[in-house]
Amino acid sequence: MIPSSAPPRLILASSSAYRRELLARLQLPFEAISPDIDETPQAGEAPQDTALRLAREKAAFVAARFPGALVIGSDQVATLDGLQIGKPGNHARALEQLQLMRGRRVVFHTALCLWDSRALEPAAAAQIENVQVFVDFRDLPDAELDAYLRIEQPYDCAGSAKNEGLGIALLARIESTDPTALTGLPLIALSSMLRRAGVPMFGL
């Protein structure tokens, strides 16, 4: 890393309002820029590998355009029985997802990449980690699932439930080492990465 007296520019490579809200908790100045990448899973790619690859590609895409910046990339893939569960996009698909997941355990892979474009060696630029969250869904009737979706309309969320909102009532249990990972940005892991990159916390 190239020494510098000034804090590096911090960029969140995301258009997600959820990730912006989470990153704002650290009270560090940052900007959000949407990365223009293809998020389609590759043939035969394991779900966690998809999440890790996309987190890295998002960060690298933005970092290439902003030399000297620290860029945060993140991606989340939900899985049931090893199969990916994406963003539903509409009510009908969201209801199908919730019906499939009720009474079951779903694994959310939230991948995080911090790309330090100050690194002298490209191979050393990226810190990357996959944080798993295990979520048990309640076995609820169709009427409750449908009513929830009409209230919160979580059609842009993998797994069709906003755990930070009313969707928490659909869940029976959450297990993770990083509680914000389920919402889309693992702040415990990110704080560690930022410290290793020399970013001062608490204004110090």
Side-chain angles (χ1 to χ4, degrees):
M1 187 174 68
I2 300 173
S4 173
S5 58
R9 184 179 188 179
L10 185 62
I11 302 174
L12 175 65
S14 178
S15 59
S16 167
Y18 310 118
R19 292 192 176 107
R20 290 197 302 270
E21 290 170 3
L22 286 170
L23 183 53
R25 293 189 191 180
L26 298 184
Q27 298 187 29
L28 296 169
F30 74 94
E31 55 196 292
I33 297 174
S34 180
D36 183 15
I37 67 167
D38 181 1
E39 299 189 29
T40 305
Q42 296 178 352
E45 189 173 47
Q48 62 268 28
D49 293 335
T50 299
L52 287 164
R53 176 178 58 82
L54 292 177
R56 185 184 182 96
E57 288 182 2
K58 290 175 182 179
F61 180 90
V62 174
R65 287 150 181 78
F66 297 92
L70 280 174
V71 183
I72 302 163
S74 187
D75 192 79
Q76 185 178 77
V77 176
T79 62
L80 178 62
D81 296 334
L83 300 177
Q84 295 194 26
I85 301 171
K87 298 174 182 178
N90 60 47
H91 184 90
R93 283 196 288 268
L95 182 58
E96 289 176 0
Q97 284 190 356
L98 293 181
Q99 289 170 331
L100 181 66
M101 295 185 298
R102 63 183 164 195
R104 305 287 303 282
R105 167 165 284 201
V106 178
V107 182
F108 289 78
H109 298 276
T110 305
L112 176 68
C113 178
L114 181 66
W115 191 285
D116 190 345
S117 55
R118 303 168 299 170
L120 299 178
E121 296 294 333
Q127 298 182 58
I128 192 160
E129 183 176 343
N130 176 39
V131 178
Q132 294 187 70
V133 184
F134 301 91
V135 179
D136 295 334
F137 279 75
R138 297 181 186 276
D139 190 0
L140 300 176
D142 287 351
E144 288 195 37
L145 300 179
D146 182 76
Y148 162 70
L149 291 173
R150 295 188 185 282
I151 294 170
E152 198 152 59
Q153 300 182 14
Y155 307 136
D156 61 344
C157 297
S160 302
K162 294 183 180 180
N163 73 289
E164 71 277 18
L166 181 59
I168 196 70
L170 301 178
L171 311 182
R173 184 181 180 87
I174 299 172
E175 296 179 11
S176 179
T177 59
D178 206 328
T180 61
L182 184 56
T183 310
L185 190 66
L187 291 182
I188 292 177
L190 178 58
S191 295
S192 297
M193 290 181 179
L194 289 170
R195 288 176 183 277
R196 287 193 290 269
V199 176
M201 306 297 288
F202 313 116
L204 300 177

